C-alpha cells in the first residue's frame, strides 16, 4: 500500500487552490439519473476515487459518462435502464446510497445495497426510508439491501419532518421528490452549502426546488427533467484543511476559492486562537506568526463547526500551550485519530464525546495509520510540525477526499512525498540484497 512521508519543521507559505467539493459533486452526479433527455456537463469535478467509483456505478445502470477536459464531466442518462445498484460498487462509498432517491423518482422503483464509506460512526438510513414511505413508496429493508417501489409507479408529494437535519436524507428525499406528483415539503432540512448546490443543479434540470439553505425546502414536482450545465462549488473542507495547516505551521497561506461564509465557524475559532484571517473576494488568507491560545470546539450540524474539520483542528490544538476541549456531537466514533496522535506524543484524554487536549511543546514523527478520510488529513498536519519524519499509512482514505494533496503541500514548502507500493517494494528488495 502507498504511504505519505512528512518531514516536520517547515513553515507553509504561498497560495493553494481548492478543487470542487467532494460532498457536493457526489449527490449531483447521482442526480444526473433524473435527466431523461439531454446531457449534463459538470465543471470543477475533482479527480477523486469516490467520483470514479460513483461513475462506475452509474455506467452499470446505463448512464454514459465521459471526461471532456480537466475537471469536466459529461453525463447522459437518456438510456439509463437499470434500477438496481450492485453491492460490489455500492460498498465502496457511502454516497452511492444517494442513487436510491433519483432512481425511485424517475423509474418508480429501486434496489440498492447498503452503503460503505468511512467507519466514523453509525449513519442510519431510517430518515431516508421515512421520507420515501411518506411519498407512497413501499420499502423493504433486508440485511444487505433496501428495495423501494412507488405505489402506482410514481411518488406522491408529502410533508416530511426529519428528526435530525441529515444531509444525506435531505438530498435523497429532494431527488426523489422533484419528479413526484404534487408538492413535497421537507421540514428540519439540512442547510449545508452542498444542499444549495444540489438544489441549483436540480433547478437547472427543470425542477422546482425552493428554500434550500433554510430548514424548510419546498418542492413542486415536475413531469420531466433534462441534462444541464453546472459548476461545482469549492470544497469547504479542503479549504479549511489548508487554513488549519497555515495555523499549525506558523505560516502564511492564501487559499484560493475558499468561501468565508461556508467556513464561518472555523474562521471564528482561528481568530479566537490568535491567528490573522483576511477575507478576500477570491479566497481566504491565514497568517499565524505568533503564539496561539487554546480553544473549546464543539461540532454541530451546519452552520455549526463542521465534524469534517474536527480532526484537523485537534491536530492544531495538540501543539497550542494550555488545555483545549473538543466535543463531537455529530458522529459517535470520530475520535479514532486520537490514538494515532498519541503515537506522535500528543496528550489527549477522551471521556465520552469530549476530548481534553493538553498542548505539548513538540510532537515527534512516528508510523501512523489513517483510520478515515479526515483523520488522514489530521495526521499530515501533525506531521508538518513534528520533529523528524512521520510515515502515514492508509492513504486510500485520503485519496477519497483530497486531490493532489501531497503536491499542494509541497508547493507551499512542506517536505512531503508519496511513496507508491512498487517504490516501497524496490527499497525493501534493495535492503534485502544488502544483507545477503
Amino acid at each position: 500500500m502507498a504511504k505519505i512521508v512528512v518531514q516536520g519543521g517547515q513553515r507553509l507559505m504561498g497560495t493553494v487552490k481548492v478543487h470542487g467539493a467532494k460532498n457536493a459533486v457526489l449527490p449531483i452526479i447521482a442526480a444526473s439519473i433524473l435527466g431523461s433527455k439531454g446531457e449534463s456537463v459538470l465543471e470543477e469535478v475533482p479527480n477523486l476515487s469516490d467520483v470514479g467509483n460513483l461513475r462506475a456505478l452509474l455506467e452499470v445502470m446505463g448512464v454514459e459518462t465521459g471526461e471532456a477536459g480537466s475537471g469536466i464531466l459529461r453525463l447522459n442518462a437518456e438510456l439509463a435502464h437499470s434500477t438496481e445498484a450492485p453491492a460490489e460498487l455500492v460498498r465502496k462509498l457511502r454516497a452511492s446510497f444517494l442513487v436510491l432517491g433519483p432512481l425511485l423518482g424517475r423509474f418508480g422503483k429501486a434496489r440498492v445495497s447498503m452503503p460503505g464509506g468511512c467507519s466514523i460512526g453509525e449513519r442510519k438510513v431510517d430518515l431516508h426510508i421515512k421520507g420515501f414511505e411518506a411519498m407512497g413508496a413501499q420499502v423493504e429493508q433486508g440485511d444487505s439491501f433496501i428495495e423501494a417501489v412507488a405505489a402506482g409507479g410514481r411518488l406522491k408529494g408529502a410533508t416530511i419532518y426529519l428528526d435530525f437535519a441529515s444531509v444525506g436524507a435531505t438530498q435523497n428525499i429532494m431527488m426523489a421528490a422533484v419528479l413526484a406528483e404534487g408538492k413535497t415539503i421537507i421540514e428540519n432540512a439540512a442547510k449545508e452549502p452542498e444542499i444549495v448546490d444540489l438544489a441549483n443543479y436540480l433547478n437547472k434540470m427543470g425542477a422546482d426546488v425552493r428554500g434550500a439553505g433554510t430548514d424548510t425546502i419546498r418542492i413542486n414536482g415536475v413531469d420531466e427533467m433534462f441534462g444541464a450545465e453546472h459548476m461545482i462549488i469549492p470544497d469547504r473542507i479542503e479549504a479549511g484543511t489548508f487554513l488549519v495547516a497555515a495555523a499549525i505551521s506558523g505560516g502564511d497561506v492564501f487559499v484560493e476559492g475558499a468561501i468565508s461564509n461556508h467556513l464561518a465557524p472555523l474562521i471564528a475559532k482561528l481568530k479566537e486562537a490568535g491567528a490573522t484571517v483576511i477575507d478576500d473576494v477570491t479566497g481566504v488568507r491565514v497568517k499565524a506568526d505568533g503564539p496561539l491560545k487554546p480553544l473549546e470546539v464543539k461540532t454541530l450540524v451546519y452552520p455549526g463547526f463542521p465534524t469534517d474539520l474536527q480532526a484537523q483542528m485537534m491536530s492544531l490544538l495538540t501543539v497550542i500551550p494550555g488545555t483545549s476541549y473538543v466535543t463531537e456531537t455529530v458522529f459517535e466514533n470520530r475520535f479514532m485519530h486520537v490514538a494515532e496522535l498519541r503515537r506522535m506524543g500528543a496528550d489527549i484524554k477522551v471521556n465520552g464525546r469530549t476530548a481534553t487536549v493538553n498542548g505539548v511543546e513538540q510532537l515527534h514523527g512516528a508510523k501512523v495509520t489513517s483510520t478515515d478520510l479526515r483523520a488522514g488529513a489530521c495526521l499530515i498536519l501533525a506531521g508538518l510540525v513534528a520533529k523528524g519524519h512521520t510515515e502515514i499509512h492508509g492513504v486510500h482514505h485520503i485519496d477519497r477526499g483530497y486531490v493532489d494533496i501531497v503536491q499542494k503541500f509541497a508547493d507551499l514548502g512542506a517536505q512531503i512525498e508519496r511513496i507508491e507500493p512498487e517504490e516501497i517494494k524496490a527499497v525493501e528488495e534493495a535492503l534485502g540484497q544488502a544483507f545477503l
Side-chain angles (χ1 to χ4, degrees):
M1 299 291 286
K3 64 181 179 181
I4 292 174
V5 178
V6 187
Q7 180 68 38
Q10 304 303 311
R11 186 171 182 239
L12 301 187
M13 304 284 289
T15 297
V16 60
K17 183 178 180 180
V18 296
H19 281 78
K22 164 188 175 288
N23 291 335
V25 73
L26 296 177
I28 285 173
I29 290 175
S32 69
I33 295 171
L34 294 162
S36 56
K37 291 182 181 178
E39 179 183 66
S40 284
V41 180
L42 306 181
E43 298 181 41
E44 296 296 332
V45 175
N47 183 22
L48 299 170
S49 59
D50 273 9
V51 170
N53 287 330
L54 189 55
R55 283 180 60 183
L57 178 59
L58 263 62
E59 287 169 358
V60 169
M61 297 175 177
V63 178
E64 296 179 3
T65 79
E67 298 175 12
S70 177
I72 299 176
L73 180 62
R74 294 184 179 275
L75 298 157
N76 191 321
E78 288 185 359
L79 301 179
H81 57 274
S82 175
T83 59
E84 182 169 352
E88 62 270 19
L89 292 173
V90 172
R91 291 196 187 107
K92 291 183 178 181
L93 74 158
R94 174 79 184 178
S96 58
F97 193 69
L98 292 176
V99 301
L100 184 55
L103 286 176
L104 187 56
R106 178 173 170 183
F107 298 106
K109 60 180 180 178
R111 180 185 171 98
V112 178
S113 297
M114 295 299 288
C118 287
S119 300
I120 56 175
E122 190 173 10
R123 294 187 279 189
K124 296 180 179 179
V125 296
D126 57 327
L127 295 181
H128 304 241
I129 295 172
K130 175 183 177 181
F132 299 147
E133 288 179 334
M135 288 187 282
Q138 294 181 336
V139 182
E140 178 186 354
Q141 183 173 1
D143 292 336
S144 60
F145 71 91
I146 289 181
E147 186 168 7
V149 179
R154 186 179 182 185
L155 296 173
K156 302 292 190 296
T159 297
I160 302 160
Y161 177 82
L162 298 180
D163 297 321
F164 173 77
S166 163
V167 174
T170 301
Q171 292 168 334
N172 233 343
I173 294 168
M174 283 171 63
M175 291 186 284
V178 289
L179 287 173
E181 182 181 341
K183 178 182 288 187
T184 297
I185 300 175
I186 307 173
E187 298 177 337
N188 196 32
K191 305 174 186 177
E192 276 76 357
E194 294 80 10
I195 299 291
V196 178
D197 206 30
L198 174 61
N200 289 338
Y201 175 61
L202 292 172
N203 286 337
K204 290 177 182 178
M205 297 179 75
D208 184 358
V209 181
R210 305 178 187 184
T214 74
D215 60 5
T216 303
I217 299 176
R218 292 175 170 83
I219 303 166
N220 292 308
V222 298
D223 294 329
E224 193 173 32
M225 292 176 64
F226 312 87
E229 295 183 5
H230 184 73
M231 181 178 291
I232 308 299
I233 60 172
D235 194 315
R236 62 191 173 101
I237 305 303
E238 182 189 12
T241 299
F242 283 106
L243 294 178
V244 177
I248 197 172
S249 70
D252 184 350
V253 176
F254 178 73
V255 183
E256 183 180 346
I259 299 175
S260 59
N261 287 345
H262 294 178
L263 292 160
L266 173 66
I267 289 173
K269 285 299 175 182
L270 290 175
K271 287 181 177 179
E272 185 181 336
T276 300
V277 183
I278 303 169
D279 186 11
D280 186 81
V281 175
T282 59
V284 177
R285 179 183 177 189
V286 167
K287 296 169 60 179
D289 50 8
L292 299 179
K293 297 176 289 187
L295 299 169
E296 290 190 18
V297 177
K298 183 177 183 179
T299 67
L300 295 165
V301 297
Y302 190 86
F305 193 93
T307 180
D308 279 352
L309 286 172
Q310 177 255 107
Q312 298 92 310
M313 179 58 79
M314 189 179 290
S315 67
L316 170 62
L317 300 178
T318 63
V319 291
I320 294 179
T323 301
S324 296
Y325 300 92
V326 178
T327 301
E328 173 60 55
T329 72
V330 180
F331 292 117
E332 75 279 4
N333 195 27
R334 206 159 200 183
F335 282 152
M336 291 187 290
H337 49 278
V338 168
E340 303 305 306
L341 289 172
R342 285 173 178 159
R343 293 177 189 272
M344 302 177 69
D347 182 357
I348 306 171
K349 297 178 178 63
V350 176
N351 182 12
R353 290 200 171 196
T354 298
T356 302
V357 185
N358 295 304
V360 298
E361 185 175 343
Q362 179 75 69
L363 295 177
H364 55 78
K367 282 188 177 182
V368 291
T369 300
S370 169
T371 53
D372 61 73
L373 167 57
R374 306 307 173 185
C378 155
L379 296 174
I380 291 177
L381 300 190
L384 293 173
V385 293
K387 184 177 182 179
H389 74 270
T390 299
E391 192 174 295
I392 302 166
H393 297 263
V395 173
H396 63 285
H397 287 298
I398 301 172
D399 292 341
R400 292 186 47 245
Y402 294 93
V403 179
D404 298 329
I405 190 169
V406 169
Q407 187 60 54
K408 287 183 177 181
F409 274 118
D411 289 343
L412 292 173
Q415 291 188 11
I416 183 171
E417 64 177 331
R418 179 183 177 122
I419 304 175
E420 298 297 338
E422 58 271 18
E423 298 175 76
I424 297 172
K425 183 178 179 181
V427 170
E428 290 174 345
E429 289 177 349
L431 290 172
Q433 290 292 327
F435 287 98
L436 289 178

